[in-house]
Amino acid sequence: MHHQLIKRLTSITGSSLSSSSQVKSRVKDLVSKGLYDQALLIYKYKQLHHPTPSILPSLIKASFYAQNQHVALQLHCASLKTAAHFEPIVSNSLITMYAKFSHVQCARKVFDKMPQRDNITWSSMVNCYTQNGYYTESLQMFKDMYVQGFAAKPELIASVLSACVRTGDFGVGREIHALVVVNGWMEESVFLSTALVDLYLRCHESLMAFQVFERMEVKNEVSWTAMISGCATCKNYGIALDCFRAMQVEGIKPNRVTLVAILPLCIELGCLRHGKEIHSFAFRHGFNYEIRMSSALIHMYGKCGGSLRTIQLIFERSTTKDVVIWSSIIASYSQSEDSAEEAIKVFHQMQIEGFQPNYVTLLAMISACTALRSVSHGRGVHGFILKYGLVSHLLVGNSLLNMYSKCGCLVDSSKIFREMSTRDNFSWSTLIGANGLHGQGKEALQLFLEMQERGVEPDAVTFVAILSACNHAGLVEEGKNLFNKALKDEKIPLSMEHYACHIDLLGRAGEVEEACEVVSRMPMKPSMRIWSSLVSACKAHARLEVAEILAHQLVKIEPENAANYTLLSMVYAESGNWVGVEQVRKFMRTEGLRKSYGYSRIELENEEL
């Protein structure tokens, strides 16, 4: 065994290692080339000799890059035995080593016991905290470093700025910016300037971010990408797209990260054409086979209504697959009823290939079950959620609540709601809406009152749900009171949907004049749904002259909508104007207008209805 080790070492070094200087030189050479395991092998062979302070930093570096904690601890012990740990260069290496292994407390002990600390010592400790998520401690260590008179390098300041972003301590970030300007470090590092741009965009100070960006003497792809993704986060989609174009005009080619950052803009702007152009660029530069790029493209095509065949091809051609790309394709298929069955097939294939679904995958599967109105599949996914312990997740609970209510299982919806550890406005609004949809108006009102008693303020969505519930249940007075309450509440911006629910409620109750008065007072132009609702109300309550006038208005506003002609025909029929009925039908046949018929699909106990 010993002879085999010597033979292997000889093949690594090319000769026997006879002196400590040769060992030191060879170890440093191997570490500089990234051959960490081979460097540690030499240490193992020479372990009878105590490593000197000159070789320890190289060996410590090799140990953490090779992820060999056992050797790393041996080296720390060796430094203590030989008193090498008193040398700052050795202790600095130990701090970095413990930071890489996420042993933050051990790194801090090494730091505290150092008799002398230099700039690298403080920087290593700040980086240790930042890399392991101790952002508050990182900022405090940076402040202490500055008080002690040590100057930070631009790369360290950029790291501290990222900690400011994570903690939301933008005040400290601004102080650091002032320090950077006073010391003239801005021109030295594009990395630091980029970190400042990111800081100001994250704290929604776009003007300041633009000023920093414009003053940058050198802008690289990282700077432009930070600007693009920051603008996208602030919902300045047009500016982000302009930056993307300006970047290319400046002769800087977007990299994979830039393309992944720009794709969400296509979704927000609903622009499939831009998405296809980015896909084409990615294809030409060989980015499209990379897994993050593939996932982003699938997500974009799914949200923008792209071809399902294109989505499938991107997925199949991806060189590697992970849970993210599986979740992306499942989410894309679950967008509509036509492809939701395919989402379920892909979910089963994902498990066959050994991938464990996460909560994002299961959210997409719940959407597929909701689109299919499939209780059996929904309960299967619910079982997965219980198995993986994700039932307490708020988004998952809300999605299950919505799925059961859409599938007609009001009892299951109520059970999910009562079992949820935390609830938000969406949870309450969904259950209120579900009760209203199933004709349980009184129960919906009771939930609405309970919601307010528990200190949850109803929002615009909640008011749509409760007004709709009153409409379905015929609770006219309650609906009127709620609408007037929302009208007086400045916190709730009333939308077209609120007015549509209220006008429909009044129309169904025969209060046509009041409904018309509400329409006349609307702050926005009435939608087709509102006019149709008024026509139906007038027809139902024998106000046929008004119904005929309104129906003619509908036809003029939307001449290509067959439903408007059908409604006019029904009004003529109700008033006995059979000549008018025939004229409308003849016109529809001549123009090729046909009314699309709706249908309902629901699955109960494996029986489709």
Side-chain angles (χ1 to χ4, degrees):
M1 186 73 179
H2 185 67
H3 292 299
Q4 288 176 350
L5 185 59
I6 293 173
K7 188 177 179 181
R8 189 177 171 194
L9 279 168
T10 304
S11 68
I12 294 169
T13 61
S15 61
S16 60
L17 299 169
S18 55
S19 67
S20 60
S21 62
Q22 285 180 312
V23 173
K24 174 183 171 183
S25 176
R26 188 59 182 151
V27 166
K28 286 186 174 181
D29 183 52
L30 290 169
V31 171
S32 67
K33 292 177 180 177
L35 302 172
Y36 307 116
D37 289 317
Q38 294 180 16
L40 294 177
L41 191 61
I42 292 176
Y43 164 68
K44 185 177 181 181
Y45 174 63
K46 288 288 183 179
Q47 64 183 340
L48 294 174
H49 302 279
H50 294 301
T52 61
S54 60
I55 196 174
L56 266 171
S58 296
L59 289 170
I60 291 168
K61 182 179 179 179
S63 70
F64 64 71
Y65 274 115
Q67 288 294 300
N68 195 327
Q69 291 195 50
H70 180 68
V71 172
L73 291 172
Q74 282 184 353
L75 291 167
H76 191 179
C77 291
S79 72
L80 293 170
K81 284 181 181 179
T82 59
H85 66 290
F86 288 117
E87 296 287 339
I89 190 172
V90 175
S91 292
N92 291 344
S93 298
L94 288 168
I95 290 171
T96 304
M97 175 196 78
Y98 282 121
K100 294 289 184 183
F101 288 129
S102 298
H103 298 324
V104 179
Q105 298 304 321
C106 294
R108 184 59 197 251
K109 283 180 182 178
V110 173
F111 176 85
D112 289 337
K113 290 180 180 179
M114 287 178 69
Q116 289 181 318
R117 303 184 187 110
D118 57 16
N119 202 302
I120 296 171
T121 310
W122 285 93
S123 300
S124 299
M125 200 62 222
V126 170
N127 281 327
C128 173
Y129 280 131
T130 306
Q131 290 164 10
N132 290 282
Y134 292 77
Y135 302 115
T136 305
E137 291 82 353
S138 172
L139 292 174
Q140 186 58 52
M141 182 62 69
F142 180 76
K143 290 176 185 176
D144 294 342
M145 176 183 179
Y146 186 71
V147 169
Q148 292 294 326
F150 291 96
K153 289 185 177 180
E155 290 75 17
L156 179 68
I157 297 172
S159 172
V160 173
L161 286 170
S162 72
C164 294
V165 170
R166 296 297 184 96
T167 58
D169 200 342
F170 299 119
V172 173
R174 292 186 191 95
E175 290 172 8
I176 292 170
H177 186 189
L179 184 68
V180 167
V181 172
V182 168
N183 290 294
W185 294 331
M186 191 75 86
E187 292 79 12
E188 294 180 21
S189 173
V190 64
F191 190 55
L192 174 55
S193 300
T194 302
L196 282 167
V197 168
D198 184 57
L199 169 81
Y200 284 117
L201 285 169
R202 294 295 184 94
C203 65
H204 303 287
E205 292 190 19
S206 302
L207 184 60
M208 197 66 192
F210 276 111
Q211 288 178 357
V212 174
F213 186 74
E214 286 299 319
R215 290 173 185 172
M216 289 173 66
E217 292 183 5
V218 178
K219 301 181 183 79
N220 59 15
E221 65 272 14
V222 179
S223 315
W224 283 100
T225 301
M227 199 69 199
I228 290 164
S229 59
C231 288
T233 304
C234 296
K235 298 185 178 180
N236 295 323
Y237 306 122
I239 296 172
L241 209 54
D242 289 340
C243 286
F244 182 67
R245 291 179 182 128
M247 173 185 186
Q248 296 170 80
V249 170
E250 293 286 330
I252 298 171
K253 288 184 178 179
N255 59 19
R256 173 186 55 79
V257 181
T258 317
L259 298 180
V260 170
I262 201 74
L263 278 170
L265 300 179
C266 304
I267 297 169
E268 295 296 336
L269 296 170
C271 192
L272 181 61
R273 182 173 61 84
H274 287 325
K276 286 181 176 179
E277 288 170 359
I278 293 163
H279 187 184
S280 176
F281 183 93
F283 180 80
R284 289 197 306 273
H285 292 82
F287 296 142
N288 60 313
Y289 296 117
E290 198 274 335
I291 190 164
R292 278 193 66 196
M293 190 72 219
S294 298
S295 300
L297 283 168
I298 289 170
H299 181 64
M300 183 275 295
Y301 277 113
K303 289 289 185 181
C304 292
S307 163
L308 292 177
R309 178 58 183 159
T310 304
I311 291 170
Q312 187 179 357
L313 284 172
I314 294 168
F315 179 76
E316 289 173 353
R317 290 174 182 175
S318 181
T319 50
T320 55
K321 292 180 176 66
D322 63 1
V323 68
V324 177
I325 196 168
W326 282 101
S327 301
S328 295
I329 192 167
I330 290 169
S332 296
Y333 283 140
S334 66
Q335 298 289 320
S336 70
E337 184 184 337
D338 296 334
S339 56
E341 288 280 5
E342 195 63 33
I344 293 168
K345 290 177 186 177
V346 173
F347 180 68
H348 291 317
Q349 186 62 36
M350 174 187 180
Q351 294 167 82
I352 289 167
E353 295 193 21
F355 291 92
Q356 182 175 311
N358 60 15
Y359 87 94
V360 179
T361 322
L362 294 171
L363 281 173
M365 279 301 299
I366 295 169
S367 296
C369 299
T370 306
L372 289 169
R373 301 293 190 266
S374 175
V375 185
S376 57
H377 287 309
R379 286 189 174 136
V381 176
H382 192 174
F384 270 102
I385 289 164
L386 293 169
K387 179 182 176 181
Y388 291 112
L390 297 168
V391 72
S392 60
H393 199 289
L394 180 62
L395 283 175
V396 173
N398 283 342
S399 297
L400 282 172
L401 181 60
N402 182 54
M403 185 267 294
Y404 279 121
S405 66
K406 293 283 178 68
C407 290
C409 302
L410 186 58
V411 174
D412 292 284
S413 294
S414 300
K415 188 178 178 183
I416 293 288
F417 179 81
R418 296 301 173 191
E419 289 174 355
M420 288 173 72
S421 55
T422 55
R423 306 179 191 120
D424 61 3
N425 280 77
F426 184 84
S427 314
W428 288 95
S429 301
T430 303
L431 192 61
I432 289 167
N435 276 277
L437 193 65
H438 291 81
Q440 306 292 324
K442 294 287 185 184
E443 288 78 359
L445 281 170
Q446 187 59 45
L447 277 167
F448 184 73
L449 292 172
E450 185 185 339
M451 173 186 182
Q452 293 170 89
E453 286 169 4
R454 289 176 181 263
V456 182
E457 285 294 323
D459 58 9
V461 177
T462 315
F463 270 97
V464 168
I466 192 62
L467 287 171
S468 180
C470 291
N471 192 4
H472 283 292
L475 302 172
V476 182
E477 290 305 316
E478 291 87 343
K480 281 183 182 180
N481 293 334
L482 286 166
F483 182 81
N484 290 329
K485 181 183 177 182
L487 201 61
K488 293 173 185 176
D489 193 342
E490 294 180 357
K491 295 179 184 176
I492 300 167
L494 292 183
S495 66
M496 189 75 74
E497 206 167 355
H498 294 95
Y499 279 97
C501 285
H502 184 55
I503 290 163
D504 193 41
L505 173 71
L506 295 172
R508 286 170 186 261
E511 300 181 15
V512 178
E513 287 80 5
E514 190 175 344
C516 290
E517 190 180 337
V518 172
V519 172
S520 67
R521 293 200 309 265
M522 282 178 66
M524 72 282 287
K525 188 178 178 181
S527 65
M528 292 301 103
R529 178 189 165 189
I530 289 174
W531 289 121
S532 298
S533 174
L534 273 176
V535 173
S536 299
C538 291
K539 182 173 74 69
H541 296 282
R543 304 294 298 275
L544 300 176
E545 289 180 8
V546 179
E548 188 175 329
I549 294 167
L550 292 172
H552 277 291
Q553 282 294 112
L554 270 175
V555 168
K556 284 181 183 178
I557 296 168
E558 273 190 338
E560 72 285 349
N561 190 346
N564 295 335
Y565 293 95
T566 305
L567 191 58
L568 178 59
S569 175
M570 290 169 68
V571 171
Y572 280 148
E574 195 74 24
S575 60
N577 185 358
W578 300 108
V579 175
V581 171
E582 186 56 37
Q583 285 176 345
V584 171
R585 289 179 179 175
K586 186 178 179 181
F587 179 80
M588 289 178 70
R589 284 195 297 270
T590 306
E591 296 296 318
L593 296 171
R594 295 187 66 184
K595 188 176 184 296
S596 299
Y597 294 95
Y599 71 95
S600 298
R601 179 182 186 274
I602 193 165
E603 185 186 274
L604 292 174
E605 304 301 331
N606 299 321
E607 290 185 15
E608 203 172 288
L609 301 175

